[in-house]
């Protein structure tokens, strides 16, 4: 039997997921209910329900799922629960996952383009590129495999013909990164209108990564 303190904590975490969903739309990185968010919780995850408008989403509609199983009968987690679960299983460093269809990231994803090192801030996503995972139907195991592979040594990836995933040690960090990725996508898209942008070297991105340790939103913030 959980204590009143545990129940209050549980509700706060569910509310933080709903708050982040509303922020996604307010920040223009998602439209309607096409995104989804998960947060590691005990031996499982809290994940947004499928197809529920963020404005009316209630804490009790956030689904708790164990990481070693599929949804229970009656549960209606996001249709993308597989990649949320599989990323959390594969990446002990990750506690929160933000998936959205931000306009510029999705334009590049439709074109099957990764984001190259056009700006030093790409280092925030863990390397000199933000990969674009091959297309697979939403909600499938195949998409989940592609997403986990594209996120190897990275905190963000694009999904071809689909959208973007950003992960972090905290929900605040994953949200911060989601906005950064969309900014980078927009900058790269803008450069492509002018010509072929010059790129920073892999060595310089490594240099930036070292200098950046601890930069941005703190890992401990939820
Ligand atoms: P939900 O099932 O989370 O509403 O999903 C929509 C979506 O983003 C599919 O990729």
């Amino acid at each position: 039997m959980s204590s009143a303190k545990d129940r209050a904590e549980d509700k706060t975490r569910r509310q933080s997921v709903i708050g982040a969903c509303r922020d996604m739309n307010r920040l223009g990185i998602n439209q309607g209910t096409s995104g989804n968010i998960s947060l590691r919780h005990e031996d499982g995850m809290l994940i947004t329900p499928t197809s529920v408008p963020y404005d009316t989403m209630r804490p009790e509609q956030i689904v708790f799922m164990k990481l070693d199983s599929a949804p229970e009968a009656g549960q209606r987690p996001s249709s993308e629960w597989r990649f949320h679960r599989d990323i959390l299983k594969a990446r002990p460093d990750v506690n929160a996952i933000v998936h959205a269809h931000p306009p510029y990231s999705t334009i590049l994803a439709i074109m099957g383009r990764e984001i190259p090192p056009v700006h030093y801030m790409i280092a925030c996503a863990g390397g000199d590129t933000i990969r674009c995972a091959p297309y697979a139907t939403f909600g499938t195991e195949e998409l989940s495999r592609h997403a986990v592979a594209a996120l190897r040594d990275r905190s963000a990836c694009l999904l071809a013909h689909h959208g973007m995933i950003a992960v972090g040690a905290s929900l605040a960090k994953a949200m911060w990164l989601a906005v950064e990725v969309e900014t980078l996508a927009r900058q790269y898209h803008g450069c492509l209108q002018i010509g072929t942008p010059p790129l920073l070297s892999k060595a310089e991105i490594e240099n930036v990564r070292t200098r950046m340790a601890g930069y941005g939103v703190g890992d401990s913030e939820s």
Side-chain angles (χ1 to χ4, degrees):
M1 184 67 173
S2 59
S3 68
K5 185 164 170 274
D6 289 343
R7 286 195 297 277
E9 170 74 8
D10 184 273
K11 187 166 178 193
T12 304
R13 304 200 86 209
R14 289 166 184 264
Q15 201 65 60
S16 72
V17 170
I18 296 172
C21 286
R22 292 178 185 160
D23 284 348
M24 285 202 295
N25 286 9
R26 185 177 56 76
L27 292 163
I29 60 167
N30 194 59
Q31 298 77 40
T33 62
S34 56
N36 27 76
I37 290 182
S38 65
L39 192 56
R40 193 186 292 279
H41 188 63
E42 297 166 355
D43 57 349
M45 64 177 176
L46 292 169
I47 184 164
T48 45
T50 187
S51 315
V52 176
Y54 304 148
D55 286 346
T56 60
M57 200 179 277
R58 298 185 312 277
E60 60 274 22
Q61 290 177 302
I62 301 290
V63 176
F64 173 77
M65 277 183 60
K66 293 207 172 198
L67 293 189
D68 59 2
S69 59
E72 289 169 14
Q75 286 191 318
R76 288 179 47 78
S78 166
S79 52
E80 299 294 13
W81 61 266
R82 279 191 181 81
F83 73 58
H84 284 268
R85 181 196 65 182
D86 296 346
I87 293 167
L88 288 172
K89 270 165 84 169
R91 294 281 298 268
D93 58 314
V94 169
N95 291 315
I97 301 171
V98 172
H99 165 59
H101 301 177
Y104 288 92
S105 302
T106 305
I107 289 170
L108 297 177
I110 289 167
M111 301 304 288
R113 290 198 186 221
E114 65 177 20
I115 305 180
V118 283
H119 192 291
Y120 77 85
M121 284 296 279
I122 200 162
C124 297
D128 64 330
T129 57
I130 294 174
R131 302 184 189 104
C132 181
Y135 179 77
T137 309
F138 81 97
T140 59
E141 271 184 52
E142 190 185 4
L143 179 63
S144 177
R145 274 198 306 279
H146 289 328
V148 170
L151 284 168
R152 185 173 41 81
D153 304 326
R154 297 283 192 279
S155 307
C157 70
L158 305 181
L159 303 175
H161 300 279
H162 187 156
M164 182 267 309
I165 300 176
V167 304
S170 67
L171 185 49
K173 191 115 183 184
M175 283 293 290
W176 177 81
L177 185 61
V179 173
E180 267 313 318
V181 172
E182 177 62 354
T183 303
L184 284 162
R186 190 170 179 176
Q187 289 160 347
Y188 181 41
H189 174 269
C191 293
L192 291 172
Q193 312 310 302
I194 303 172
T196 304
L199 303 180
L200 292 166
S201 68
K202 208 178 177 74
E204 176 53 12
I205 297 301
E206 261 320 293
N207 175 34
V208 171
R209 259 166 49 75
T210 313
R211 293 174 74 99
M212 250 180 187
Y215 181 83
V217 175
D219 289 348
S220 58
E221 296 169 49
S222 60

